[in-house]
Amino acid sequence: KYQINIYNPFYYGFVLFTASSTSLKNLTCLIHIIQAAFICTPHQEFLKQGEPTSARCDELESLMKRGCDAARIENPHGSQRILKNKAVTNRKKGAEKLRPEDITQIQPQKLSLNLRSGEPQNIKLRFKRAEDYPIDLYYLMDLSYSMKDDLENVKNLGTSLMKEMSKITSDFRIGFGSFVEKTVMPYISTTPAKLLNPCTVDQNCTSPFSYKNVLKLTSNGHQFNSLVGKQQISGNLDSPEGGFDAIMQVAVCGEHIGWRNVTRLLVFSTDAGFHFAGDGKLGGIVLPNDGRCHLENNMYTMSHYYDYPSIAHLVQKLSENNIQTIFAVTEEFQPVYKELKNLIPKSAVGTLSANSSNVINLIVDAYNSLSSEVILENSKLPEGVTITYQSHCKNGVVNEGESGRKCSNISIGDEVSFNINITAQGCPKQDKPESIKIKPLGFTEEVEILLNFICECDCHKQGIKNSDMCHNGNGTFECGACRCNKGRVGRQCECRKDEVSTEDLDKNCRKDNGTDICSNNGECVCGTCECKKRDNPEERYSGKFCECDNFNCDRSNNKLCGGHGRCECRVCICDANYTGSACDCSLDTSTCLASNKQICNGRGNCECGTCRCTDPKFQGPTCEICPTCPGVCTEHKECVQCRAFGTGEKKDTCERDCSYFNLIKVKDRDKLPQPVQAFPLMHCKERDANDCWFYYTYAVNNTEKEVHCPAGPDIIPIVAGVVTGIVLIGLALLLIWKLLMIIHDRREFAKFEKEKMNAKWDTVYNAHFKSLF
């Protein structure tokens, strides 16, 4: 009788087989049969006690680090599949005429993407402007009284424009419409006479109207001239016109206008400004424009009911219907319509002469400008999906960001490409496929992209419903865990939801009958602790009561378990050759070997990879340094002399030979360290080449050699002091000499004054002199 433990990977457990055999041969056969259905390899339970089932999902490196075999890890990747890939058309002008739907300018046309969260899928789109591409042009004209002279020039527009556009395409159609204003006060005068003729008595004008579709798109230029020639000017009261009402109807009334799926151009001709959403309140109209077609007998019938459309509403409808707008306006209103152009993608502004004589050149130039630029636009993205563009344009120009959506200066026949990255940041709430569309603005072609989200692993498809592994069949066993049926919870679906918070079950989640449930690190589910997750996926709680974790162990050098072990239940499990509470003690003795191949030079013990010297005379990492041994002073004499004073035999090689110690200079000999220091040192007295004595101490402190040396005399202060002294003495002597000279001069002057005072003149009798009195 043999008992064989066979691992079943599907059930994540072991199965015990008992078999009887009379020979080893039969046993071998039995093992071969079992191996056909199972893998005979040992397996340990992946989840630690207390860890939630969701802990099976983690980053690839983390799963492998925790012991999950690479063969057991499901790591699905995104993919893409092209469903429609019709090549771009290489048709030349004059070749066989093709239907518009047979012309392709963008490739591919339809794709399917499988998106995994955080993994971008890159698709490449090609765009090529087809030659001789069909064009539909609708001329929408302001017929207020100020446009009277313009109407005369537009009457011959049909055949002239047909002739000019034939240089661009052989398939051109043209239509005509006109607008004035809403037919309510204060935009027009509602008096009976003015409703019949809004102009002066001597002018014959037609009744005011909001918008009129005069001519459906046609390839007959003469019909255009004929119908436009019959049009009459009308009038209104205020300066801004109701052109936005007309643009909205032209955009949404495709059947009435006759738009084809080709290049669609709308020429908007006026010499005034425009009313927009909110201005209808002046006439008592408050209902927002509904963006629908309201043409009856080619006349807009709801102008008195709906307000003017907003600019954003117009942008939406023009984009949805692939209409490119050309604003042909007078120079006075150029600034206003240029601002409007910045809000409406794929639009252009041209300066209309006072009588519209330049309208043909204006249209051709604007068309060339619009068609030479391709701008990609995508529909609304599903929640959590992002998209980025990179364009590869002519002459090797590469653009990214918002500029990556477009290419400019594209001529007919030029080809450009776009790299588009689509990324899902999660799974949609409804867990169903989505789709987005990408199209070049102003073109009818588009690329449809179907989005499928990878939200589950393939092993979910192999799940066993009502499996015995899930507590009497209360769940589906898939991917090694139970997915509980509705109303059941627990790792094995062993509890009902209404039992989860009972006090009896909570007792099983308190360690040592304490008050903390699951050590405050988890939740009690069915009497079993489900530990909470940490923000850092590498950190986790575990244990029956979530009392363990793998991030609160001792640290060394700011590393968990010194970087030489793993943390399990707050205790470091050290790698081989390491020990200690923080795995910071190395058992490797190679770092303790001295030059004589002895551990710590035979004078110490190797502890945690570092020598602890037992002989106090010896120091250093291998107990080989003896700072107090005889001969140390003589050994270091030359190096101390060259580093401290720049003299000696080694002064030329000092930097190379004498950098093995730290030199610390002190002011005088009395400041040298004394033997009472915590580390041994040697006092040295040596004679230099000039027969002068110098002193220093040598010690080994924290495995670093240190030399303390009295600093030499500072020559500059001494010389400066001597010179200063000589100068001061000289000045003093000069002052003394000067003082003595002053005293001597004063004495001589005083003597002179005294002698002067003592001088007397003798009187002598003159015989020849005789007084008269």
Side-chain angles (χ1 to χ4, degrees):
K1 215 172 195 182
Y2 301 91
Q3 288 186 339
I4 310 168
N5 286 329
I6 303 296
Y7 169 66
N8 181 347
F10 192 76
Y11 285 92
Y12 285 78
F14 289 86
V15 182
L16 177 64
F17 285 84
T18 303
S20 299
S21 178
T22 57
S23 67
L24 184 60
K25 180 179 179 181
N26 292 338
L27 174 62
T28 304
C29 181
L30 174 63
I31 292 176
H32 286 170
I33 294 173
I34 295 173
Q35 284 180 332
F38 305 100
I39 301 174
C40 295
T41 55
H43 177 74
Q44 295 178 349
E45 185 65 29
F46 175 70
L47 294 179
K48 299 276 191 299
Q49 188 173 16
E51 288 186 333
T53 305
S54 58
R56 289 182 179 274
C57 297
D58 208 336
E59 294 181 356
L60 183 63
E61 293 181 1
S62 178
L63 289 174
M64 297 183 71
K65 187 177 180 180
R66 293 176 60 196
C68 186
D69 297 335
R72 300 182 184 278
I73 297 176
E74 289 213 24
N75 188 22
H77 291 285
S79 60
Q80 56 180 270
R81 185 162 54 98
I82 298 178
L83 304 179
K84 187 177 180 181
N85 193 25
K86 186 179 178 181
V88 293
T89 302
N90 292 314
R91 173 173 172 255
K92 298 293 183 179
K93 188 175 180 181
E96 181 183 355
K97 192 171 182 178
L98 298 176
R99 296 179 302 171
E101 55 268 24
D102 294 332
I103 299 175
T104 303
Q105 297 184 110
I106 191 166
Q107 179 188 7
Q109 295 80 39
K110 189 173 184 179
L111 304 94
S112 175
L113 302 184
N114 293 320
L115 296 178
R116 181 180 178 180
S117 179
E119 183 183 70
Q121 283 294 313
N122 179 268
I123 59 177
K124 184 174 182 178
L125 299 184
R126 299 172 57 201
F127 180 86
K128 183 176 182 180
R129 276 192 63 189
E131 190 169 347
D132 198 23
Y133 195 74
I135 299 174
D136 283 355
L137 185 146
Y138 191 84
Y139 196 92
L140 183 60
M141 184 175 181
D142 177 8
L143 286 189
S144 58
Y145 187 78
S146 58
M147 293 287 287
K148 180 180 179 181
D149 54 346
D150 299 80
L151 181 59
E152 295 300 322
N153 285 296
V154 175
K155 288 180 179 180
N156 298 318
L157 179 65
T159 53
S160 301
L161 191 58
M162 281 282 185
K163 181 179 179 180
E164 191 66 28
M165 294 300 288
S166 65
K167 300 176 183 179
I168 300 174
T169 176
S170 61
D171 189 357
F172 176 73
R173 299 198 311 168
I174 189 171
F176 184 83
S178 58
F179 67 91
V180 180
E181 187 54 275
K182 288 184 179 296
T183 54
V184 295
M185 282 288 288
Y187 312 109
I188 67 168
S189 175
T190 56
T191 61
K194 290 294 183 181
L195 285 176
L196 292 176
N197 183 7
C199 304
T200 58
V201 179
D202 58 336
Q203 297 289 336
N204 186 21
C205 296
T206 188
S207 299
F209 57 92
S210 177
Y211 162 68
K212 181 194 301 182
N213 178 28
V214 178
L215 175 64
K216 189 175 182 179
L217 288 164
T218 179
S219 56
N220 189 340
H222 295 286
Q223 184 183 8
F224 180 93
N225 292 348
S226 175
L227 286 176
V228 174
K230 298 177 182 178
Q231 300 304 305
Q232 288 182 300
I233 292 296
S234 184
N236 62 315
L237 296 179
D238 60 343
S239 177
E241 313 295 358
F244 276 15
D245 273 342
I247 294 177
M248 177 61 75
Q249 294 303 301
V250 171
V252 299
C253 298
E255 293 183 1
H256 295 81
I257 305 299
W259 292 118
R260 298 177 296 171
N261 286 330
V262 296
T263 298
R264 299 175 176 179
L265 299 179
L266 170 61
V267 179
F268 182 85
S269 176
T270 184
D271 64 349
F274 49 82
H275 284 295
F276 54 91
D279 289 353
K281 292 181 179 179
L282 295 172
I285 304 172
V286 295
L287 285 178
N289 195 286
D290 64 350
R292 296 180 181 179
C293 182
H294 297 288
L295 290 185
E296 293 183 11
N297 297 322
N298 289 321
M299 296 288 290
Y300 179 39
T301 60
M302 301 297 286
S303 66
H304 65 287
Y305 191 76
Y306 289 116
D307 193 5
Y308 302 97
S310 65
I311 296 176
H313 201 179
L314 278 183
V315 170
Q316 177 190 353
K317 294 301 179 180
L318 290 172
S319 176
E320 285 179 0
N321 294 280
N322 305 305
I323 297 174
Q324 303 176 65
T325 310
I326 300 172
F327 294 105
V329 297
T330 55
E331 187 173 0
E332 179 185 358
F333 288 93
Q334 282 284 309
V336 175
Y337 282 91
K338 283 184 178 179
E339 291 296 327
L340 183 61
K341 168 190 172 295
N342 295 332
L343 300 175
I344 301 179
K346 293 290 283 185
S347 62
V349 177
T351 302
L352 191 67
S353 62
N355 58 3
S356 298
S357 58
N358 67 332
V359 67
I360 294 179
N361 292 332
L362 185 154
I363 292 173
V364 173
D365 292 342
Y367 168 73
N368 290 330
S369 173
L370 290 173
S371 61
S372 65
E373 183 177 56
V374 58
I375 303 175
L376 295 187
E377 180 188 53
N378 55 267
S379 60
K380 184 178 180 181
L381 297 173
E383 184 178 358
V385 175
T386 58
I387 187 169
T388 60
Y389 293 84
Q390 183 188 64
S391 60
H392 296 262
C393 308
K394 289 177 61 177
N395 302 321
V397 177
V398 178
N399 299 316
E400 296 182 346
E402 281 302 308
S403 298
R405 292 176 175 265
K406 64 181 180 180
C407 282
S408 302
N409 300 321
I410 304 174
S411 302
I412 293 175
D414 288 341
E415 181 176 314
V416 295
S417 64
F418 296 86
N419 285 333
I420 303 174
N421 280 327
I422 300 178
T423 308
Q425 303 299 335
C427 289
K429 295 179 180 179
Q430 298 180 356
D431 194 18
K432 65 178 183 180
E434 299 278 358
S435 68
I436 60 174
K437 293 182 179 180
I438 299 176
K439 67 177 182 179
L441 285 176
F443 296 87
T444 57
E445 298 172 70
E446 63 184 13
V447 179
E448 183 180 7
I449 303 176
L450 304 178
L451 304 179
N452 299 294
F453 300 91
I454 302 175
C455 298
E456 291 186 344
C457 296
D458 290 338
C459 57
H460 286 280
K461 301 175 183 178
Q462 303 171 357
I464 301 177
K465 293 184 178 180
N466 303 323
S467 171
D468 291 337
M469 303 291 290
C470 302
H471 195 267
N472 300 325
N474 286 316
T476 301
F477 191 78
E478 55 186 29
C479 298
C482 287
R483 177 181 291 184
C484 298
N485 296 336
K486 187 176 181 180
R488 305 292 297 192
V489 292
R491 179 171 290 188
Q492 278 80 39
C493 309
E494 64 271 24
C495 288
R496 297 194 305 270
K497 281 189 176 180
D498 54 3
E499 297 175 344
V500 170
S501 60
T502 60
E503 293 184 3
D504 291 339
L505 293 176
D506 286 349
K507 290 180 180 179
N508 297 326
C509 298
R510 294 189 177 97
K511 185 178 180 181
D512 300 329
N513 293 325
T515 57
D516 294 337
I517 295 179
C518 299
S519 305
N520 289 329
N521 294 325
E523 296 180 358
C524 187
V525 181
C526 295
T528 303
C529 284
E530 293 283 345
C531 303
K532 62 185 179 183
K533 281 191 172 184
R534 301 269 298 176
D535 293 336
N536 185 348
E538 297 291 332
E539 299 177 356
R540 59 184 61 86
Y541 294 104
S542 61
K544 182 179 179 181
F545 302 101
C546 301
E547 74 279 10
C548 296
D549 62 60
N550 66 342
F551 54 87
N552 272 324
C553 292
D554 291 341
R555 294 175 179 266
S556 178
N557 293 328
N558 203 28
K559 293 182 179 180
L560 191 67
C561 297
H564 301 299
R566 65 184 187 278
C567 181
E568 292 187 3
C569 203
R570 303 185 180 181
V571 177
C572 285
I573 308 299
C574 299
D575 297 338
N577 291 330
Y578 285 93
T579 186
S581 62
C583 301
D584 54 351
C585 183
S586 174
L587 300 178
D588 184 12
T589 60
S590 61
T591 57
C592 296
L593 288 178
S595 58
N596 57 9
K597 302 302 180 183
Q598 290 185 349
I599 293 178
C600 299
N601 197 29
R603 290 181 171 85
N605 300 319
C606 187
E607 297 180 3
C608 299
T610 304
C611 284
R612 185 178 296 276
C613 302
T614 55
D615 190 335
K617 291 184 179 180
F618 290 86
Q619 298 179 10
T622 55
C623 300
E624 292 182 272
I625 300 173
C626 180
T628 58
C629 293
V632 170
C633 293
T634 304
E635 178 184 354
H636 303 294
K637 169 188 172 182
E638 295 298 333
C639 283
V640 171
Q641 188 177 353
C642 80
R643 289 188 58 183
F645 310 111
T647 60
E649 297 179 359
K650 292 187 176 182
K651 64 179 181 179
D652 296 329
T653 61
C654 192
E655 185 176 351
R656 183 190 67 192
D657 299 337
C658 300
S659 59
Y660 59 88
F661 60 83
N662 295 329
L663 180 68
I664 302 174
K665 292 184 179 181
V666 295
K667 291 185 177 180
D668 51 52
R669 181 179 173 185
D670 296 336
K671 301 296 183 180
L672 291 173
Q674 301 302 314
V676 296
Q677 301 289 334
F679 47 88
L681 53 83
M682 173 66 76
H683 279 272
C684 299
K685 176 183 178 183
E686 297 294 334
R687 190 186 298 271
D688 62 11
N690 297 325
D691 205 28
C692 295
W693 292 98
F694 64 92
Y695 302 87
Y696 64 92
T697 59
Y698 177 79
V700 178
N701 183 19
N702 295 330
T703 72
E704 292 185 357
K705 301 176 183 178
E706 291 184 356
V707 172
H708 292 73
C709 184
D714 197 342
I715 301 300
I716 295 177
I718 294 175
V719 173
V722 171
V723 172
T724 303
I726 293 172
V727 172
L728 292 175
I729 291 172
L731 290 174
L733 291 175
L734 287 174
L735 289 173
I736 293 172
W737 177 81
K738 183 67 175 175
L739 180 63
L740 291 175
M741 291 300 296
I742 291 172
I743 294 172
H744 178 266
D745 289 344
R746 287 183 177 180
R747 285 179 178 178
E748 289 297 325
F749 183 76
K751 184 178 179 180
F752 170 76
E753 289 290 332
K754 184 178 179 181
E755 289 178 353
K756 181 181 178 182
M757 293 295 297
N758 293 332
K760 293 183 179 181
W761 298 93
D762 293 335
T763 58
V764 180
Y765 175 77
N766 187 349
H768 298 283
F769 177 79
K770 183 178 182 179
S771 176
L772 296 179
F773 302 99

